[in-house]
Amino acid sequence: MATVHDTTMRPTKLELLADWLPTRTWYAAGPEAPRPVKAGGFRLDDPEGEVGVEFMAVTDGEGPDAVAYLVPMTYRGKPLDGAEHALIGTSEHGVLGTRWIYDGAHDPVLVAEAYALLAGRSVPQHQSISDAADPTVAAVLDAAARTEAAVEPAEAVDGADHTDVRLRAPGTGTPLTLRFHRVLRPTADDTTALGRVTAEWTPAGAPETPARGAYVTVRQA
């Protein structure tokens, strides 16, 4: 189960995201600099216990023009080879020391655990409480997209409001793509998807009314 340390990070994750978000093709730029606010999310466990895995929702802006974004992140104790393009930044963790923080859509550990969640082999964890499952996160996957074999990312491509990660998924008979929905919208189930992870987030200015929608969907490549 995920351990959440009660400590500091310098710079904070939100400070790093304020600089990183404008560099993304899916960022809907507003008239002011980004001021991301944590709005929800959950964690997953790395079976090896080496990599922190978090799906963070943030909002940017105010009122009806505010946008909610999904930022899946991994936290590593050393750089990930070949992933310089996916580095969000480094931060000094009060317990663990220097952490290299990556865009998780480009990290094979997060991609594998996202698929494991869809396949029912991973339990979503509370974002800020240690050793606590998060029952608000739901995941379903069609039999046609299910495999017991290990999956690996083959390619990650950013779009206007999403990042598509093509998978090597032996045993499915179907080429698969994980779609990370970077711009979060409270939508009904996508009937064209082979699977989906849905979760909540807090819209800007409406903390009493959580929104819910797809964080990740599975599609035929």
Side-chain angles (χ1 to χ4, degrees):
M1 304 285 273
T3 299
V4 180
H5 296 280
D6 183 14
T7 187
T8 59
M9 292 187 73
R10 296 289 184 269
T12 67
K13 289 178 279 189
L14 292 176
E15 288 170 338
L16 290 174
L17 290 180
D19 291 332
W20 181 78
L21 282 171
T23 69
R24 302 300 94 191
T25 60
W26 39 263
Y27 176 68
E32 301 179 356
R35 290 181 294 175
V37 176
K38 183 179 175 180
F42 60 93
R43 291 177 179 264
L44 294 175
D45 283 338
D46 169 20
E48 302 298 325
E50 295 293 329
V51 180
V53 176
E54 180 177 10
F55 286 72
M56 180 183 285
V58 300
T59 56
D60 181 44
E62 298 179 356
D65 295 328
V67 181
Y69 297 100
L70 171 65
V71 186
M73 291 185 282
T74 54
Y75 311 101
R76 289 175 169 268
K78 60 182 180 181
L80 174 60
D81 290 342
E84 294 81 4
H85 64 288
L87 182 67
I88 295 174
T90 59
S91 180
E92 292 301 316
H93 189 280
V95 174
L96 302 175
T98 303
R99 308 301 284 171
W100 281 259
I101 303 176
Y102 289 94
D103 178 4
H106 298 264
D107 191 315
V109 169
L110 184 141
V111 171
E113 289 313 299
Y115 181 86
L117 173 62
L118 284 154
R121 299 196 296 269
S122 182
V123 177
Q125 304 293 309
H126 196 283
Q127 192 175 26
S128 56
I129 302 175
S130 295
D131 302 330
D134 187 341
T136 68
V137 180
V140 295
L141 185 65
D142 289 359
R146 190 178 296 272
T147 179
E148 296 300 319
V151 300
E152 296 180 357
E155 180 184 24
V157 179
D158 287 332
D161 61 358
H162 61 269
T163 298
D164 281 347
V165 182
R166 293 188 178 183
L167 297 181
R168 299 184 182 95
T172 63
T174 302
L176 299 179
T177 293
L178 285 187
R179 173 163 290 185
F180 294 86
H181 293 260
R182 299 298 199 156
V183 178
L184 294 172
R185 299 183 177 93
T187 56
D189 283 347
D190 181 353
T191 58
T192 67
L194 298 174
R196 64 198 63 82
V197 175
T198 58
E200 296 179 346
W201 67 91
T202 302
E208 70 286 352
T209 310
R212 185 176 188 87
Y215 276 39
V216 182
T217 54
V218 184
R219 302 168 184 276
Q220 185 170 346

